[in-house]
Amino acid sequence: MKKRILLLAGGQSGEHEVSLMSARSVLAALPRDQFDVTPVVISKQGRWLPPTGTQKALETGEAPGGGDLVLHRVASAEGYDAVFPLLHGPMGEDGTIQGLLTLAGIPFVGSGVLGSAVSMDKVMTKQVLASAGIAQVEWRLALRREWRSQPEVVTARATELGFPLFVKPANLGSSVGISKVSHTDDLQAALDLAFSLDRRVILEAMTSHKPREVEVGILGNDAPVASPVGELSFDSEFYDYETKYTEGRAQMHIPARMPRDMSERVREMALQAFRALDCAGLARVDFFYVEETGELFLNEVNTMPGFTTTSMYPKLFEAAGIGYSELVTRLVTLALEER
Ligand code: ADP
Ligand code: MG
Ligand code: MG
């Protein structure tokens, strides 16, 4: 019997478009002799679009429409064997959809409520990983209320880290709302921007030199495996939105150009983080490697990484001999697996 799969894409976050791109690739790759796939695009306002609207959104990248309570819509997920929530960022990758599907009793691809929520929040991730003894850069938390009522306290907290530093919304992705701040004068604008997007903001010390950015894919549930390590190189100041999504701005290197013992450490740390955060199915774990000092810092864990055929996560597994179509099939199988 073919498995009925509901593929959710789009969603309410700043990564809506990225999700649509990933969904087109996954839709084309899920083997039709095994799966009956129904895509549903969620508009930026949170509306689960009907088939015609979904088709149009996948073709044009435009998903209009508000209203429509999401809770009424979970009924439309009934009758599916599994859901593939190919959504990035808040209201998709952060445990919210995962909670809805858990309540509805429908298996889904990827991490559950706990792993999704903790991994989405850069501060919670840092706290959990610190308790697992995983090396990370120095950081501080700031709340919007503090920034409004005691800006000098927040500024002082940031200054403790030294310049340049990074200011980031705690719960976002694709570098949306992230600033690299090299001077006190630019701190206010960076904090205003981050707080316009999130109640919680993380301030991070920069690595001692511009880091090499290396990433590793994890696949599995309770017996996860790590892919080879990949690396991204680019000329811009940091791996910002433009660099990520403008053709030709960043180069992917698989395997990463680093000593073998170092890449083994990356893979081991990534597996350790995946377990510590109670992730499931898949994750892409990103690191900073400071070649000059040999330091390795875990940066973040993405529980629903970019998933086009040219994205890092699928490319990493392709290098391990698992092609795109096989990879998505395995993810659905993992969703259906008893744990
Ligand atoms: P996102 O979840 O949006 O991808 P990241 O935390 O990965 O956010 O930050 C995006 C990019 O910003 C990183 O890939 C890196 O280029 C740069 N960056 C973020 N934090 C630091 C840091 N502490 N030191 C050096 N570079 C950083
Ligand atoms: Mg991220
Ligand atoms: Mg990142």
Side-chain angles (χ1 to χ4, degrees), residues 122 168 173-175 178 213 215 239 244 284 286 299-300 302:
K122 294 182 191 300
K168 321 179 188 180
S174 290
S175 299
I178 296 184
E213 305 209 21
E215 308 190 337
Y239 197 32
K244 281 180 180 172
R284 198 193 69 226
D286 300 349
N299 172 35
E300 63 156 346
N302 298 288

Side-chain angles (χ1 to χ4, degrees), residues 142-335:
L143 299 179
R144 187 186 276 151
R145 199 173 61 83
E146 294 178 298
W147 179 233
R148 283 189 187 144
S149 60
Q150 296 175 288
E152 66 290 348
V153 172
V154 174
T155 306
R157 206 176 291 160
T159 311
E160 278 169 29
L161 297 167
F163 293 95
L165 58 86
F166 280 82
V167 177
K168 321 179 188 180
N171 288 274
L172 259 176
S174 290
S175 299
V176 175
I178 296 184
S179 309
K180 179 179 175 181
V181 180
S182 300
H183 195 273
T184 327
D185 296 348
D186 302 326
L187 198 51
Q188 174 157 359
L191 284 159
D192 283 341
L193 172 65
F195 279 118
S196 72
L197 298 166
D198 205 334
R199 226 186 89 243
R200 288 153 65 78
V201 162
I202 186 166
L203 311 160
E204 279 188 25
M206 193 183 157
T207 47
S208 58
H209 301 77
K210 185 179 174 183
R212 305 269 295 269
E213 305 209 21
V214 298
E215 308 190 337
V216 57
I218 304 290
L219 176 65
N221 289 334
D222 294 329
V225 295
S227 74
V229 180
E231 178 180 354
L232 289 153
S233 64
F234 45 85
D235 287 330
S236 35
E237 273 286 302
F238 71 98
Y239 197 32
D240 56 10
Y241 189 92
E242 267 211 71
T243 311
K244 281 180 180 172
Y245 300 113
T246 312
E247 188 75 40
R249 285 286 181 87
Q251 288 75 45
M252 213 181 267
H253 311 268
I254 304 174
R257 302 161 303 178
M258 68 200 307
R260 201 191 159 76
D261 58 332
M262 198 55 83
S263 58
E264 280 313 306
R265 246 180 80 197
V266 168
R267 298 175 74 223
E268 198 38 61
M269 272 167 81
L271 283 166
Q272 214 186 325
F274 188 89
R275 292 194 188 97
L277 293 162
D278 194 33
C279 293
L282 76 165
R284 198 193 69 226
V285 187
D286 300 349
F287 294 82
F288 298 136
Y289 169 49
V290 187
E291 197 176 11
E292 291 84 349
T293 60
E295 287 166 302
L296 196 58
F297 301 104
L298 199 152
N299 172 35
E300 63 156 346
V301 177
N302 298 288
T303 53
M304 194 53 76
F307 221 105
T308 68
T309 48
T310 56
S311 298
M312 181 62 102
Y313 183 88
K315 283 286 172 199
L316 289 171
F317 279 101
E318 191 181 291
I322 303 175
Y324 191 90
S325 184
E326 189 188 341
L327 185 62
V328 288
T329 303
R330 282 214 201 177
L331 287 172
V332 174
T333 309
L334 284 165

